[in-house]
Amino acid sequence: MPMSFGIFGKAIALFMVVAFALWLIFTYVFTSDRDADYEAERIGAIEMVVSAVV
């Protein structure tokens, strides 16, 4: 049996789809920038081993 939510339900469904797509794009862009910054900081870095002996 098909369900119908009317014009208001269609508007909410469309809003949710658009919001989800924008959220995916937003998180992809900023996660990619953060990962790129992290990799740029690591290039040429020297790893130091710190031991706390008291």
Side-chain angles (χ1 to χ4, degrees):
M1 183 169 124
M3 296 178 65
S4 176
F5 296 107
I7 193 85
F8 185 68
K10 290 177 186 176
I12 291 175
L14 183 61
F15 173 76
M16 295 300 289
V17 169
V18 170
F20 181 68
L22 290 175
W23 176 75
L24 287 176
I25 293 168
F26 182 81
T27 55
Y28 173 76
V29 167
F30 285 102
T31 301
S32 299
D33 286 347
R34 186 181 63 206
D35 290 342
D37 291 342
Y38 178 71
E39 287 298 321
E41 290 175 0
R42 288 190 55 213
I43 295 176
I46 299 172
E47 291 186 19
M48 293 179 51
V49 177
V50 177
S51 79
V53 178
V54 179

